[in-house]
Amino acid sequence: MVEAILGIKNTQENFTFCVRGFHEILPTRIGLEKRKIVSNNSCELCGFGGESNAHAIFWCPFAQEIWKLLEFTFLHEVREVIDFKNVILYAAEVVEKDLFEKIIISAWAIWMERNKITHGQHLGQPQQVVNWIDSYYGTVVSARDGAKVSSLPIQRNRNNSEVLHRDPQEEQRHTILMVDAAVLNNTSSVGLGAIILSEDRRVSKRYTWGGFMFE
């Protein structure tokens, strides 16, 4: 269960990315070697022996160049022993919700950039990746803030002109993401499921994934 991811509004793509990283099923070299898709588990970018989900996203020198240009100082030092799940859980504890959202976006951007190698493309420069992260995050924040303003109740002041009234509890409202997984031993596959609960604990959205094979 991904209890750390609260109130985050992301696209389907980086939502799926985060769930798969949390459960260590992003197709990095360790997993690919176990499935006999590759012959070794060394990182394609730096040669580190043991390309886990966390190494690819947080600890690889390429990823580190990007994180060091961002404001999250706890990610500026390599800690290979910490896996993806625990990085995300720690981040959820030490940063504000909005910046936690930026961490998820940044991790997703690094993953997408790394995937260029698989498709025979050249990696962008770290500053280019950071510029894209800042732009994308700014778009997300602007869209969210615009939606908040448009949903605020309208009151009239003494001059009978319309003014916006902000509910003081509005900022405290959030949704809850709950994720679980099941392993089917007879078919060597993993199934994932997720639900998003509204503030009153009603199910607002459901997602399911299945068929992730392993050996």
Side-chain angles (χ1 to χ4, degrees):
M1 186 181 299
V2 191
E3 293 286 358
I5 308 175
L6 301 177
I8 301 299
K9 293 184 179 180
N10 279 304
T11 65
Q12 181 69 41
E13 289 84 359
N14 54 34
F15 173 83
T16 302
F17 156 79
C18 189
V19 171
R20 297 184 74 184
F22 197 89
H23 290 285
E24 202 65 30
I25 55 175
L26 288 171
T28 47
R29 303 283 289 190
I30 286 180
L32 294 176
E33 183 189 37
K34 288 179 179 178
R35 294 165 58 188
K36 297 181 172 52
I37 294 175
V38 297
S39 59
N40 67 78
N41 60 25
S42 297
C43 175
E44 288 186 280
L45 298 187
C46 72
F48 178 81
E51 186 196 75
S52 64
N53 287 188
H55 173 82
I57 305 302
F58 300 110
W59 313 132
C60 177
F62 173 73
Q64 277 288 293
E65 286 188 71
I66 295 169
W67 288 114
K68 286 177 180 178
L69 293 172
L70 295 164
E71 61 265 48
F72 311 111
T73 56
F74 67 93
L75 290 172
H76 291 182
E77 182 180 345
V78 175
R79 297 180 174 89
E80 290 284 358
V81 296
I82 305 178
D83 62 13
F84 186 103
K85 174 181 177 179
N86 282 294
V87 172
I88 296 300
L89 289 173
Y90 180 78
E93 292 290 329
V94 300
V95 302
E96 298 294 329
K97 185 174 71 174
D98 284 354
L99 284 180
F100 177 63
E101 185 171 15
K102 187 175 183 180
I103 288 177
I104 298 299
I105 290 170
S106 301
W108 177 57
I110 291 170
W111 175 248
M112 296 301 292
E113 195 67 28
R114 287 182 64 97
N115 281 344
K116 288 182 177 180
I117 295 295
T118 304
H119 299 291
Q121 301 173 345
H122 295 293
L123 293 175
Q125 294 298 313
Q127 187 61 60
Q128 291 176 315
V129 179
V130 170
N131 291 344
W132 185 91
I133 291 169
D134 288 339
S135 175
Y136 184 88
Y137 177 66
T139 300
V140 170
V141 171
S142 296
R144 181 176 61 239
D145 290 348
K148 283 182 181 179
V149 170
S150 65
S151 65
L152 291 175
I154 295 178
Q155 292 185 341
R156 294 184 178 274
N157 62 16
R158 288 182 298 177
N159 296 324
N160 210 33
S161 60
E162 292 183 346
V163 295
L164 291 177
H165 171 68
R166 184 177 296 275
D167 181 352
Q169 296 182 347
E170 185 72 25
E171 301 297 332
Q172 299 178 12
R173 296 176 183 170
H174 59 266
T175 56
I176 299 175
L177 169 65
M178 303 180 71
V179 179
D180 206 351
V183 178
L184 304 178
N185 291 326
N186 59 332
T187 60
S188 296
S189 62
V190 176
L192 297 177
I195 60 173
I196 296 179
L197 302 180
S198 61
E199 187 180 19
D200 58 359
R201 299 282 176 163
R202 295 178 182 271
V203 176
S204 60
K205 290 186 179 180
R206 295 182 177 87
Y207 302 93
T208 59
W209 301 268
F212 297 113
M213 303 302 295
F214 69 95
E215 296 185 16

